[in-house]
Amino acid sequence: YFGPIHWHMTVHSDCDDTAFFIRVSFVEEGVSYNLTQGITSLSYICPDCRAGSPVTIDLDTTPISFTLKKGNRIRVDISSHSDIFAPHANVKAHWAEVRNCRIANNALHLKNAYIALPLK
């Protein structure tokens, strides 16, 4: 397979802005191997977003090349934080101007959520 992994989900937060991070891995014999990850913020997807408003995320990860074998499983981790990206203050402002952080209570609406793997 070669190409980006597309992710689609509707989310909401009790903050005007926060981050959503996704990591896609494959699992073989109980061991998880990272394929790719991506991150976005509510203010990037929806500049006028307000706390509590549902926002639909439609993004592609960086293109990757990988092979899945029979018996491999896909693992999807979704969070508002990752050790590889700078922490988000959960405040709608330029990161360098934020003076106070908030704790964000985020939710995913999984009814119509999906990831699409490149089948090339």
Side-chain angles (χ1 to χ4, degrees):
Y1 307 105
F2 175 79
I5 293 178
H6 179 80
W7 51 302
H8 171 93
M9 69 184 73
T10 301
V11 300
H12 77 267
S13 177
D14 65 349
C15 294
D16 288 338
D17 194 15
T18 189
F20 284 90
F21 168 79
I22 187 170
R23 175 179 289 131
V24 181
S25 308
F26 75 92
V27 180
E28 183 176 53
E29 298 179 9
V31 178
S32 181
Y33 300 95
N34 181 33
L35 288 174
T36 189
Q37 62 254 333
I39 194 166
T40 191
S41 66
L42 291 181
S43 63
Y44 178 78
I45 300 296
C46 179
D48 298 325
C49 182
R50 296 286 176 238
S53 299
V55 175
T56 300
I57 297 173
D58 267 301
L59 286 177
D60 291 332
T61 66
T62 302
I64 59 171
S65 179
F66 62 99
T67 301
L68 294 176
K69 301 176 196 168
K70 183 177 179 178
N72 289 157
R73 297 188 185 280
I74 296 294
R75 173 179 165 170
V76 179
D77 298 299
I78 301 169
S79 177
S80 63
H81 172 71
S82 167
D83 293 341
I84 62 173
F85 294 102
H88 196 292
N90 303 316
V91 175
K92 189 181 280 189
H94 187 280
W95 65 270
E97 298 172 353
V98 172
R99 299 288 178 240
N100 297 308
C101 298
R102 293 191 54 201
I103 294 174
N105 294 294
N106 300 330
L108 309 173
H109 304 266
L110 297 178
K111 182 177 181 183
N112 295 315
Y114 65 86
I115 63 167
L117 301 176
L119 301 177
K120 297 179 184 177

